[in-house]
Amino acid sequence: MSMTSEKAMNVPKRQHWVPRFYLRYFAIPGTEDKHDPQVWIFHRKEGDPAKVGISKIAAKKFLYSPASRNGKRDHTMESKLSELETLLAELWPDLAGGFVDLGAQPTRKAVSLFLATLLLRHPASRQQMEAAYRRLAYHIDSAPKDSQGVPVIQAIISGKQELPFDVRLWNSLRSMTSTDYHQEFVASIRAHAIELAERLMEKRWSMIFIDEPVWITSDNPFFVLDTEHDKRSVSIPAVKLVFPVSPTRILWMDDMDEPPNQYYPIR
């Protein structure tokens, strides 16, 4: 994996976890064609509504460009996400307002990969991953130790997996820095995006539509209706997923024994 300078790649410092091409569809009428369309934002807990440009929301500095120990940044993931967003931006006008074939494989693959990255790339995913690593390091460190100070552990059980304990893992977890966590977060997007997209493709897709624009989106727009399940548990039959494509279209994913790829109007 090669390191490339920010100047050579023209990589933005502010990197969005909800792409601007998508947010543009929720812009205040009359601003959607501007360089920086505006949207009304509402805090989920407090504060008054505010009008802001989409360049200023759902973004964080170098979110997908982790630094190495020598300070150089790897922009590979930001570049790949940008390429994916460019592809989806061409598809989105028809998806947001038309009646595309939801069963068409090219459309299904592109949308599935896009939604998979939305689940994986959110800053909350990084926080959850870091918290999980810290818990694992704590539990290993709390185990009885031998005369050399090494935890006396035979295996680590994670879900249905049983992994032999490796002292190198323990040492690695103990020495992880903020930079290491950042690198692991970006690596997890690369490692799980395809598998997650394949699971989404297996779901039954439906589109709920309405004539007048009434639906909103959020800074975490692809969500699970079954709150007892984690977002990555998309292969569980009970899990239903919802994604607001535009103010008039909502994509619904489930495993019901009903006709797939249908459009359902509501009033």
Side-chain angles (χ1 to χ4, degrees), residues 8-51:
M9 288 188 63
N10 194 26
V11 175
K13 291 183 179 180
R14 290 179 60 82
Q15 297 172 359
H16 292 254
W17 66 83
V18 181
R20 283 174 290 178
F21 87 82
Y22 166 74
L23 292 173
R24 186 180 292 271
Y25 285 85
F26 295 86
I28 298 169
T31 72
E32 61 266 38
D33 293 328
K34 293 184 177 180
H35 174 68
D36 190 21
Q38 292 183 311
V39 293
W40 283 105
I41 61 171
F42 300 81
H43 195 281
R44 65 189 58 170
K45 292 183 179 179
E46 59 187 15
D48 297 323
K51 188 189 298 185

Side-chain angles (χ1 to χ4, degrees), residues 19 21-22 25 80-96 106-115 117-118 121 205 243 245:
F21 87 82
Y22 166 74
Y25 285 85
K80 288 184 177 296
L81 290 173
S82 179
E83 291 174 3
L84 178 61
E85 291 165 17
T86 298
L87 172 64
L88 269 295
E90 296 177 0
L91 171 66
W92 220 256
D94 292 332
L95 199 67
T107 299
R108 208 171 177 87
K109 286 181 179 180
V111 174
S112 292
L113 184 57
F114 174 64
L115 295 180
T117 62
L118 284 186
R121 67 194 282 187
W205 292 20
F243 177 71
V245 174

Side-chain angles (χ1 to χ4, degrees), residues 172-186:
S172 175
L173 288 171
R174 296 168 68 202
S175 62
M176 286 187 76
T177 65
S178 177
T179 296
D180 295 324
Y181 287 125
H182 195 178
Q183 291 175 348
E184 284 295 312
F185 164 62
V186 172

